[in-house]
Amino acid sequence: MKPIKDNLALLTDLYQLTMIQAYFDDGRENDTAAFDYFFRKIPFGGGYVVFAGLSELLENIRNLKFTDSEIIYLKKIGFKSAFLDYLKEFSFKGDVFSFREGNIVFPEEPILSVRGKLIEAQLVESLLLNTLNFNSLIATKAARMRSVAGDKILGDFGLRRSHGLGGIQASKAAIIGGFDSTSNVLAAQLFDLKPVGTMAHSYIQSYSDELTAFRKYAESQPDNCTLLVDTYDTIKSGVPNAIKVAKELEAAGKKLKGIRLDSGDLISLAKQSRKMLNENGLDYVKIVASNQLDEYMIEKIIKEDAPIDIFGVGTNLVTGQPDAALDGVYKLSVVNDEPSLKLSESEEKITLPGLKQVFRFTDSNGMYAGDAIGLETEDKIDNVFEHHKGNKIFNTEDLSISKSLQKVIENGNIIIKPYSPEDSKIIIKENLKKLPEKYKKLKNVETYPVGISKNLLEELNSLKKKFE
């Protein structure tokens, strides 16, 4: 998988660089640390998040270096020569532990852990947050749409409404979340996705009449012709003209691929269009619908049996509406082999110390029953406790246990097999089959149980007392 840019050393916040220069100036270049990546709130009022962006992140971390152009710029803005000499030789040599991309994840649990030199672990923070927060947000939105769309085709049409080059990542994340294709040609090239497209209203308007426009497009694209039928009047003009062109294609030994509805009452128009197509022996022609679709509109369309075969989703997908960001954070948990935590007057912002593992429990039917955050040294957990108050959440008797964090980078080298967005899409599909329905609903969703082990609770309370 090709990275969007070969080197992203300066895709960071300035304070990352000023902090690591301060560490360097203080002789701390060999200090070690561990940082955890996690989020606190599930977006969209949902019950889970799809973890996405890992493949891209690992490639960018591996390629992280400071070339002459970066060094010249950093010198220009005031960084010291000795520190710049250090950066010239920099490469990431740490370890990374992570959930598998495509796994479903929940609030508070460390999804990824970076371990190594303090300087290198600090340096990757902004890049990591930028990559994982956005990719996971969009993949989650896509998974919600897939959950209601069933086996209907979902296409990403969002490039023109995306936030700059974020549209490239959005297209990839959409595939991970369950989409089938994208209109974004660069994303399709970079990540080996299926590119799709129809036509714009401007193409039709550029001709003297709609039928001529349809005919000329069909002549140019006889094997991949989908006609946009709502430029003038969908039922009186668009669909009848599409039927004429479809018949002309049949006479030439070709078939019209589809018609696209992009405005109006999509449910009513789809039903009328389907009836007209079928009456003319065109039952094979697909109906594509677009225009401000989201998971709720798709669910409504499905429930009302509208004969729409393909959904083209744009704005609400690639901008993560109505939640524009995932609130993922990156917090220090170990310094020089000593556990560390961040205290706060807001109880929910107190972090968990030490090197940790996330344990996932499944019941006798293979369904997910809850997660526990424990110390990395633990193998067995009997009871799971609330993070903030220490109340017992659930007992693990009769539940199977598995470890979620696996090493993915060792000494700076990626040690897992590369996987594509299609690979990760399979993983999320398998994950969601194991998640009970009460955690997957679009509305009135229940909260999946996540807590901490007794040993981690004791470690947390011990450190709290130390700083009281």
Side-chain angles (χ1 to χ4, degrees):
M1 184 182 299
K2 300 176 183 177
I4 294 173
K5 186 178 183 297
D6 289 338
N7 181 32
L8 297 175
L10 295 188
L11 185 58
T12 188
D13 293 299
L14 182 62
Y15 81 160
Q16 307 290 4
L17 293 166
T18 57
M19 283 191 294
I20 65 174
Q21 178 172 281
Y23 289 144
F24 179 82
D25 290 346
D26 195 30
R28 300 186 65 188
E29 61 266 31
N30 291 316
D31 280 18
T32 60
F35 285 79
D36 297 327
Y37 167 70
F38 60 95
F39 65 92
R40 296 190 176 100
K41 177 179 175 290
I42 297 175
F44 318 125
Y48 62 88
V49 163
V50 173
F51 178 47
L54 178 65
S55 301
E56 179 183 330
L57 176 67
L58 298 186
E59 289 289 344
N60 286 327
I61 287 177
R62 181 175 66 177
N63 294 328
L64 203 61
K65 60 184 181 297
F66 291 85
T67 64
D68 290 345
S69 63
E70 281 85 37
I71 296 299
I72 290 169
Y73 177 73
L74 291 177
K75 183 176 182 179
K76 178 182 175 182
I77 62 173
F79 285 90
K80 300 175 184 177
S81 296
F83 176 62
L84 295 177
D85 289 340
Y86 168 80
L87 290 185
K88 288 178 184 178
E89 306 300 320
F90 177 87
S91 63
F92 183 85
K93 297 296 183 184
D95 298 337
V96 177
F97 292 76
S98 178
F99 272 76
R100 169 70 197 268
E101 186 168 46
N103 278 175
I104 51 175
V105 291
F106 303 95
E108 306 295 343
E109 55 192 24
I111 304 164
L112 182 145
S113 175
V114 178
R115 306 172 188 179
K117 297 292 179 62
L118 172 60
I119 284 180
E120 61 186 355
Q122 184 73 67
L123 180 61
V124 301
E125 176 181 3
S126 297
L127 174 61
L128 182 151
L129 291 172
N130 175 272
T131 304
L132 299 184
N133 283 341
F134 182 68
N135 277 271
S136 297
L137 179 80
I138 305 306
T140 304
K141 187 70 171 179
R144 286 166 61 82
M145 295 183 195
R146 171 52 66 197
S147 71
V148 296
D151 59 358
K152 302 288 186 179
I153 296 173
L154 293 173
D156 154 42
F157 285 10
L159 177 60
R160 64 189 55 207
R161 298 290 175 80
S162 64
H163 297 157
L165 292 179
I168 300 170
Q169 293 177 320
S171 296
K172 172 174 62 68
I175 299 297
I176 291 172
F179 271 54
D180 300 286
S181 58
T182 180
S183 67
N184 186 335
V185 181
L186 179 56
Q189 179 202 24
L190 289 171
F191 305 117
D192 193 26
L193 311 179
K194 180 181 179 181
V196 297
T198 59
M199 57 163 54
H201 293 108
S202 59
Y203 179 86
I204 298 163
Q205 292 172 255
S206 72
Y207 287 90
S208 59
D209 63 89
E210 185 178 58
L211 182 58
T212 300
F214 284 0
R215 282 173 171 159
K216 292 298 182 181
Y217 193 80
E219 288 174 14
S220 175
Q221 305 289 326
D223 298 311
N224 188 32
C225 184
T226 297
L227 301 173
L228 182 59
V229 295
D230 72 328
T231 303
Y232 302 115
D233 189 304
T234 300
I235 299 303
K236 293 181 180 179
S237 171
V239 176
N241 283 331
I243 290 171
K244 290 177 185 177
V245 172
K247 290 300 182 181
E248 293 168 2
L249 282 170
E250 284 185 341
K254 303 292 184 178
K255 287 186 175 181
L256 179 65
K257 190 172 182 179
I259 63 168
R260 177 178 156 216
L261 306 171
D262 190 46
S263 60
D265 185 337
L266 296 178
I267 294 172
S268 174
L269 290 173
K271 290 179 177 180
Q272 293 178 73
S273 298
R274 182 78 273 161
K275 184 174 183 291
M276 294 167 69
L277 290 168
N278 290 356
E279 287 173 349
N280 284 275
L282 300 172
D283 58 308
Y284 60 83
V285 175
K286 304 294 185 184
I287 296 179
V288 183
S290 53
N291 187 33
Q292 299 299 319
L293 296 174
D294 61 11
E295 60 267 48
Y296 301 103
M297 187 61 194
I298 293 172
E299 182 182 51
K300 180 181 179 181
I301 289 169
I302 298 293
K303 285 183 176 179
E304 296 196 24
D305 293 322
I308 294 172
D309 305 290
I310 302 169
F311 295 98
V313 189
T315 306
N316 289 310
L317 170 66
V318 300
T319 60
Q321 293 293 322
D323 292 314
L326 179 68
D327 68 338
V329 294
Y330 185 77
K331 297 299 182 182
L332 184 68
S333 60
V334 177
V335 180
N336 290 327
D337 299 323
E338 293 295 326
S340 175
L341 87 164
K342 173 188 175 293
L343 291 175
S344 173
E345 292 181 0
S346 300
E347 198 170 51
E348 66 275 8
K349 289 195 172 184
I350 297 174
T351 61
L352 294 171
L355 299 179
K356 295 176 287 295
Q357 177 59 262
V358 180
F359 302 90
R360 181 154 291 173
F361 296 92
T362 53
D363 63 21
S364 58
N365 296 316
M367 302 296 286
Y368 294 151
D371 287 7
I373 309 163
L375 297 174
E376 187 178 60
T377 53
E378 295 186 84
D379 288 311
K380 186 177 185 296
I381 296 175
D382 295 322
N383 295 295
V384 180
F385 298 87
E386 191 176 0
H387 174 186
H388 306 299
K389 302 187 186 308
N391 301 320
K392 189 166 87 170
I393 300 176
F394 65 93
N395 180 275
T396 67
E397 187 178 359
D398 299 325
L399 298 177
S400 300
I401 186 172
S402 63
K403 295 181 178 181
S404 299
L405 293 174
Q406 305 295 329
K407 187 180 286 188
V408 294
I409 286 184
E410 184 173 36
N411 298 324
N413 297 309
I414 300 173
I415 61 171
I416 58 171
K417 180 182 176 182
Y419 38 88
S420 69
E422 291 289 345
D423 295 331
S424 297
K425 178 163 69 172
I426 293 171
I427 296 297
I428 183 57
K429 185 176 181 180
E430 294 173 349
N431 262 243
L432 286 173
K433 284 181 180 177
K434 298 177 182 178
L435 187 67
E437 288 298 323
K438 60 186 176 180
Y439 306 123
K440 294 189 289 190
K441 297 185 296 182
L442 295 187
K443 298 177 181 177
N444 302 316
V445 63
E446 294 188 30
T447 301
Y448 182 84
V450 177
I452 64 177
S453 70
K454 181 180 179 182
N455 290 335
L456 180 55
L457 179 61
E458 291 174 350
E459 179 81 13
L460 174 63
N461 289 334
S462 175
L463 276 177
K464 280 183 180 179
K465 290 178 181 178
K466 178 181 176 181
F467 292 104
E468 285 178 353

